[in-house]
Amino acid sequence: MGGPTGGTSAWESPQTASGGGCGDACGCGGDEGAYELDPLTCGLDPDLAALLVAAGLDPVQVEDIAHLAVEEDLDQGVDVTTVATVPEDAVATGDFTAREAGTVAGLRIAEAVLSIVCTDEFAVERHVEDGDRVEAGTTLLSVTTRTRDLLTGERSALNILCRLSGIATATRAWADVLEGTKAKVRDTRKTTPGLRALEKFAVRCGGGVNHRMSLSDAALIKDNHVVAAGGIAEAFTAVRAEFPGVPIEVEVDRIDQIPPILAEGADLILLDNFTPEQTREAVELVAGRAILESSGRLTLDNARAYADTGVDFLAVGALTHSSPILDIGLDLREDHGQGPQGAADDAAREDR
């Protein structure tokens, strides 16, 4: 079984749930003092919340995202198609099924979305786990609940599940290419606003590791910081003086910039747009005195060439900003389709 578990290095963001309180849309109503609640006691089913925490996600944040997704889809109204075609007391079982091969991520988040919509309790049968590789036709998750609720929450749940599974699938392709080397594929902060924690979780599901989660986790001195500070050494010294306990990464685009950075004590050096040959030269020059990360020019076709130089990380922003979705659908089982429900079955397959 695959999964987003494992240890972290000093340059891999911690896989623990962050703190935080309930937003206005939270299931607890956002009462005063809610920020002091344990995340496991707020809104979501405790067992589901515990699974999210174990995956390194904050249940409160997941619940808020679920509310936003559903509320955006309903726009203060109702699902007019479903209300018109499905009897209020109808119950159905729906199967979330992969329509193409890939790596799954976001199943528990999809459950959280459905839990926001479902007015009655619902039964869930989990067939695979986040991080698992699946083939086309694999049933991922089966849910039995009121048909109206299932169809109303379908698209919101699928939007997140398909998006995160697409990221995990793309990451897995990179991880497979790098297998057998010490290099790991790593994400960037090029994430969808509001979904960073979920998208970085998907990277972990695909076998990648996370760079910093925010601007406060670590310093990354890039060309504009160097210009503003008056030089690389000046920028490094300023960060070290202001935030002595923060790891510092420095971006370079030439070999000759590396020795002075090493002398300053940089923890990590980002090799920007280096060729594999230049990267190998940098690895030999640094000789283990700093962690090295390649960025720019990277493709699946040349990833192995970079990894074979001995570099530690390959930074790939495309994991989160350009990965296509993994096609996943929800189909109601035929044995639940009677009368008006038959039309609901057809609507479910349209996935609109």
Side-chain angles (χ1 to χ4, degrees):
M1 290 286 191
T5 57
T8 59
S9 73
W11 275 94
E12 296 171 31
S13 294
Q15 316 300 305
T16 55
S18 60
C22 309
D24 293 339
C26 182
C28 72
D31 334 335
E32 184 176 354
Y35 285 91
E36 299 177 0
L37 291 174
D38 185 296
L40 299 186
T41 68
C42 181
L44 298 178
D45 175 81
D47 290 339
L48 177 57
L51 289 173
L52 292 169
V53 169
L57 295 169
D58 180 355
V60 175
Q61 183 182 27
V62 170
E63 185 184 20
D64 283 349
I65 290 171
H67 273 288
L68 287 172
V70 172
E71 289 170 3
E72 179 181 56
D73 224 13
L74 290 176
D75 195 23
Q76 302 183 40
V78 297
D79 178 355
V80 295
T81 310
T82 297
V83 169
T85 60
V86 179
E88 185 175 2
D89 60 351
V91 174
T93 297
D95 296 314
F96 287 84
T97 303
R99 293 177 173 164
E100 59 182 326
T103 298
V104 180
L107 290 167
R108 304 295 83 80
I109 300 164
E111 286 183 40
V113 173
L114 293 176
S115 75
I116 298 304
V117 179
C118 291
T119 54
D120 294 330
E121 291 188 7
F122 61 97
V124 174
E125 186 177 0
R126 297 163 179 156
H127 304 288
V128 302
E129 291 298 329
D130 288 329
D132 285 353
R133 300 180 195 242
V134 299
E135 298 298 324
T138 303
T139 300
L140 313 177
L141 185 73
S142 299
V143 180
T144 301
T145 188
R146 291 181 64 214
T147 312
R148 283 188 176 185
D149 294 341
L150 187 54
L151 295 183
T152 296
E154 169 191 8
R155 177 43 52 197
S156 295
L158 282 173
N159 281 348
I160 294 176
L161 181 58
C162 293
R163 168 69 177 155
L164 299 188
S165 295
I167 292 172
T169 298
T171 305
R172 177 58 62 190
W174 284 83
D176 286 348
V177 168
L178 301 181
E179 189 173 357
T181 73
K182 75 171 184 175
K184 297 180 180 180
V185 63
R186 188 155 74 158
D187 54 28
T188 68
R189 284 173 32 252
K190 296 174 182 177
T191 54
T192 306
L195 297 182
R196 176 170 296 168
L198 304 193
E199 292 179 348
K200 283 179 172 280
F201 162 73
V203 168
R204 302 197 299 274
C205 288
V209 296
N210 298 145
H211 195 271
R212 55 183 182 167
M213 295 292 290
S214 71
L215 292 171
S216 62
D217 292 350
L220 174 52
I221 298 172
K222 304 191 72 167
D223 51 0
N224 286 332
H225 302 107
V226 172
V227 171
I232 290 180
E234 289 81 359
F236 186 94
T237 301
V239 174
R240 181 65 82 212
E242 186 74 16
F243 301 101
V246 171
I248 303 177
E249 179 175 5
V250 182
E251 177 186 82
V252 301
D253 53 25
R254 300 191 317 272
I255 290 286
D256 64 285
Q257 294 172 321
I258 294 178
I261 292 171
L262 281 175
E264 292 291 338
D267 302 288
L268 190 150
I269 299 173
L270 178 67
L271 308 174
D272 186 41
N273 284 311
F274 277 43
T275 65
E277 293 73 21
Q278 291 170 326
T279 302
R280 188 178 300 278
E281 183 181 350
V283 169
E284 293 172 355
L285 176 62
V286 171
R289 289 174 288 172
I291 297 171
L292 291 176
E293 179 171 27
S294 291
S295 177
R297 299 185 184 225
L298 302 176
T299 67
L300 276 174
D301 290 338
N302 66 24
R304 185 72 185 209
Y306 278 93
D308 285 340
T309 67
V311 73
D312 298 282
F313 295 116
L314 272 63
V316 181
L319 297 179
T320 52
H321 73 60
S322 297
S323 294
I325 68 164
L326 183 69
D327 190 6
I328 299 170
L330 173 69
D331 294 302
L332 299 188
R333 294 184 184 173
E334 293 292 344
D335 56 358
H336 287 281
Q338 298 178 359
Q341 187 64 43
D345 290 344
D346 291 338
R349 293 188 186 90
E350 287 297 322
D351 283 340
R352 290 177 186 161

